[in-house]
Amino acid sequence: MSWDQAAATPQAFRSWMSWYPTGVTVVTTADRAGKPYGMTCSSLTSVALEPPTLAVCLRTDALTWRVIEQRGAFAVNLLHDDAQRAAELFASPVADRFAEVDWRPSATGLPQLAGEAFGYAECEVSGTAEVGDHTVVLGRVTRLQGGGGFPLLHRHRSYGTWLARPVANAI
């Protein structure tokens, strides 16, 4: 690994961040007519336990963000380790992404990726902040669903999984 210094250009920053492994999610929503929208997102973090709140960072010019902004609600689908195809699909310009995956509307009408996700959270938008070309969206979590499984991870422009290993001397 090289520790050479470089100016913090967008390209250098993207390359630098690519070394940090992240879980891969698909953020989904639906318009008032029930049409589903979604996009791949690796910028997810918990914010607070009371009330349960998470944050996602979405491209401000993305159609999915515009629909979330109008509806005021979204879902986070935590992709399992065999869902690379879905991650790539929802990051691509394919017109009808939902025709290519196993999904169903939840009781509230938000799209749930039943075949690709091991965890699912529904959120109401509780705040936003525009930062550069992205919008940080805070979501108050209203409903959770999930089971066991291994997450799909992304690091240095490739996908992988978390290999479960015993940890010695865990704190």
Side-chain angles (χ1 to χ4, degrees):
M1 176 182 296
S2 172
W3 289 98
D4 295 336
Q5 291 185 4
T9 64
Q11 295 79 13
F13 183 62
R14 173 181 250 169
S15 179
W16 185 80
M17 284 301 301
S18 77
W19 288 99
Y20 187 70
T22 62
V24 184
T25 71
V26 172
V27 173
T28 58
T29 193
D31 64 19
R32 297 188 197 289
K35 181 178 178 184
Y37 294 85
M39 63 188 291
T40 299
C41 177
S42 59
S43 297
L44 167 71
T45 191
S46 61
V47 175
L49 293 177
E50 291 192 29
T53 304
L54 55 78
V56 294
C57 300
L58 306 173
R59 284 188 334 271
T60 301
D61 65 353
L63 181 56
T64 298
W65 161 237
R66 291 194 300 262
V67 176
I68 290 170
E69 188 175 31
Q70 291 169 1
R71 179 170 179 151
F74 63 96
V76 176
N77 294 267
L78 303 177
L79 298 187
H80 60 66
D81 60 350
D82 197 31
Q84 178 177 336
R85 184 179 153 278
E88 292 170 344
L89 175 68
F90 280 88
S92 74
V94 172
D96 189 3
R97 298 167 178 157
F98 287 89
E100 306 288 326
V101 294
D102 177 20
W103 74 279
R104 62 178 167 256
S106 72
T108 62
L110 293 172
Q112 184 175 6
L113 302 182
E116 285 76 17
F118 71 92
Y120 175 80
E122 291 190 356
C123 304
E124 294 176 353
V125 175
S126 60
T128 64
E130 268 193 49
V131 181
D133 59 357
H134 278 65
T135 299
V136 178
V137 183
L138 297 174
R140 187 177 63 78
V141 180
T142 59
R143 183 177 162 172
L144 294 167
Q145 182 177 342
F150 293 102
L152 180 65
L153 300 177
H154 193 258
R155 178 186 173 270
H156 198 60
R157 298 176 187 90
S158 62
Y159 293 94
T161 189
W162 185 313
L163 300 176
R165 295 185 188 137
V167 178
N169 301 322
I171 295 176

